[in-house]
């Protein structure tokens, strides 16, 4: 079976050097005290486009040949991959088309437009948006660079794992947001390639966790996409999934699901205690620790994966106001 190796990830790091930020990892005194072990936060939400996705998108674009670059790129996205791909394509003077469902928040649409990409809004799920991607590939010859199930995307995201284990070499546990699995698979391959005893746990929301449902079923399955505070974790993994399902199955030590109140608590803690603004998907690692759903007997690294939250929603969450409009 084709997979992404540690060598692939190291090659991706060389390829994207100078195109992405090497983000810091800092200790969290409040979480460390709560857990009784050192807890470190990987501040990837400070990445250039506000999320980790720039790593995979930059590696994928850099891996294209001249003919493919001339054709332009297309992808389905819940927002952050689209923004990253738009940024990477703009740097290379390439056409980019981003297809999204109606569930994608407006602030993410605005940023993608600002970067000059074309936007297509199709249906109520990422699977619906993917159908438009496939039409554009067939009819206009665009090159599809999917958000997770692609070797260059996975290898690019895996560069985070290299940084995390280099910054905290004695880490016993790494917490990673889990959606389609590109991030979790890449980080797990990197971390376990360097430090085989370090555990990697995927964290997702209870509302529409496609990878968790697929892992439980033993095969990729369809899951209804529902509104959630962790909107970046929405969408399916694809019934024809080639890479991330098997890699997550083989490399992740566990998967933890969170309800909406727990995710909101993670966002609030990040702001009030860590002085960091993160979106729901970026806060799930913190949320899992606060909810007591993850235990550790040694240093923990928690990935804060993105900050692209609607600020009005963030204010409501921080102030403890009703959040039913995103979670109903």
């Amino acid at each position: 079976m084709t997979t992404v190796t540690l060598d692939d990830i190291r090659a991706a790091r060389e390829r994207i050097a100078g195109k992405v930020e090497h983000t810091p990892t800092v200790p969290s005194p409040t979480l460390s005290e709560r857990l009784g072990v050192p807890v470190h936060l990987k501040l990837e939400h400070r990445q250039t486009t506000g999320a980790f996705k720039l790593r995979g998108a930059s590696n994928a674009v850099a891996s294209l040949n001249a003919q493919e670059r001339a054709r332009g790129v297309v992808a389905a996205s819940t927002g952050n991959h689209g923004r990253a791909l738009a940024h990477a394509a703009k740097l290379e003077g390439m056409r980019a088309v981003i297809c999204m469902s109606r569930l994608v928040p407006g602030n993410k649409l605005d940023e993608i437009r600002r970067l000059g990409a074309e936007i297509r809004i199709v249906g109520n799920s990422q699977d619906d948006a993917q159908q438009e991607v496939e039409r554009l590939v067939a009819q206009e010859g665009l090159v599809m660079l999917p958000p997770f199930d692609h070797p260059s995307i996975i290898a690019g995201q895996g560069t985070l794992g290299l940084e995390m284990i280099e910054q905290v070499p004695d880490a016993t546990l790494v917490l990673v947001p889990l959606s389609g699995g590109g991030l979790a698979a890449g980080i797990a391959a990197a971390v376990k390639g360097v430090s085989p005893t370090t555990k990697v746990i995927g964290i997702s929301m209870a509302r529409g966790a496609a990878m968790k449902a697929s892992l439980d079923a033993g095969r990729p399955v369809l899951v209804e996409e529902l509104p959630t505070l962790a909107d970046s974790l929405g969408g399916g993994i694809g019934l024809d999934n080639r890479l991330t399902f098997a890699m997550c199955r083989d490399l992740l030590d566990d998967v933890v699901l969170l309800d909406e109140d727990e995710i909101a608590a993670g966002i609030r803690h990040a702001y009030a205690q860590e002085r960091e603004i993160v979106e729901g998907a970026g806060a799930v690692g913190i949320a899992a620790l606060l909810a007591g759903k993850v235990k550790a007997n040694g240093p923990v690294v928690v990935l804060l994966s993105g900050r692209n939250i609607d600020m009005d929603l963030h204010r409501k969450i921080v102030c403890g106001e009703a959040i039913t409009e995103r979670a109903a």
Side-chain angles (χ1 to χ4, degrees):
M1 182 193 70
T2 301
T3 189
V4 174
T5 67
L6 181 59
D7 285 342
D8 295 327
I9 295 168
R10 285 174 170 156
R13 176 156 68 173
E14 294 297 320
R15 199 175 289 119
I16 66 177
K19 298 179 179 179
V20 303
E21 296 291 330
H22 189 288
T23 52
T25 295
V26 301
S28 168
T30 55
L31 292 173
S32 297
E33 181 178 359
R34 188 183 187 99
L35 263 70
V37 298
V39 177
H40 304 266
L41 305 177
K42 174 63 168 171
L43 307 183
E44 184 64 11
H45 64 300
R46 298 186 184 178
Q47 188 55 254
T48 302
T49 55
F52 73 93
K53 291 284 191 177
L54 186 60
R55 295 173 182 263
S58 295
N59 188 48
V61 167
S63 300
L64 297 176
N65 60 39
Q67 183 182 41
E68 290 169 328
R69 289 172 183 239
R71 289 159 54 190
V73 294
V74 62
S77 174
T78 53
N80 286 334
H81 175 63
R83 182 175 177 179
L85 188 57
H87 178 91
K90 183 178 182 179
L91 289 180
E92 300 294 334
M94 294 167 49
R95 180 190 180 194
V97 182
I98 311 301
C99 302
M100 294 173 284
S101 81
R102 296 184 183 92
L103 295 180
V104 176
N107 64 301
K108 295 183 177 181
L109 299 179
D110 293 342
E111 284 300 316
I112 293 170
R113 287 194 185 96
R114 185 182 63 80
L115 289 165
E118 302 168 40
I119 291 178
R120 308 288 174 88
I121 304 298
V122 182
N124 295 308
S125 72
Q126 195 169 17
D127 291 333
D128 292 338
Q130 180 61 31
Q131 292 181 14
E132 177 67 5
V133 170
E134 292 166 5
R135 187 190 70 79
L136 290 168
V137 170
Q139 296 184 10
E140 300 188 23
L142 293 169
V143 177
M144 179 172 62
L145 291 179
F148 53 87
D149 196 33
H150 187 285
S152 294
I153 297 290
I154 297 169
Q157 320 303 25
T159 62
L160 260 171
L162 294 179
E163 290 181 18
M164 294 162 87
I165 208 67
E166 288 167 358
Q167 291 165 331
V168 188
D170 58 345
T172 63
L173 176 63
V174 172
L175 302 184
V176 184
L178 176 63
S179 180
L183 176 65
I187 287 179
V191 167
K192 291 181 177 293
V194 176
S195 178
T197 61
T198 301
K199 292 185 177 181
V200 180
I201 294 179
I203 315 292
S204 197
M205 69 290 179
R207 295 175 60 82
M211 182 61 79
K212 171 62 171 170
S214 297
L215 292 172
D216 289 346
R219 57 182 174 80
V221 297
L222 293 174
V223 174
E224 182 183 3
E225 191 170 341
L226 299 168
T228 171
L229 292 175
D231 54 85
S232 292
L233 302 185
I237 71 166
L239 295 181
D240 58 348
N241 187 287
R242 299 181 301 123
L243 292 167
T244 61
F245 171 77
M247 290 182 70
C248 287
R249 179 195 63 203
D250 297 343
L251 295 174
L252 292 182
D253 293 282
D254 197 6
V255 175
V256 170
L257 300 184
L258 302 170
D259 64 32
E260 297 299 302
D261 288 337
E262 290 166 340
I263 296 170
I267 295 171
R268 280 194 295 270
H269 176 95
Y271 181 75
Q273 302 298 325
E274 313 297 343
R275 294 297 187 260
E276 302 290 345
I277 294 175
V278 293
E279 59 187 284
V284 294
I286 290 176
L289 295 179
L290 294 176
K293 292 186 173 180
V294 174
K295 307 295 182 183
N297 58 8
V300 181
V301 182
V302 180
L303 175 61
L304 307 189
S305 58
R307 67 167 183 254
N308 298 320
I309 189 171
D310 178 273
M311 290 309 296
D312 184 56
L313 176 63
H314 186 270
R315 178 190 59 78
K316 291 180 179 179
I317 293 171
V318 168
C319 294
E321 296 181 24
I323 54 175
T324 52
E325 68 265 30
R326 191 61 60 83

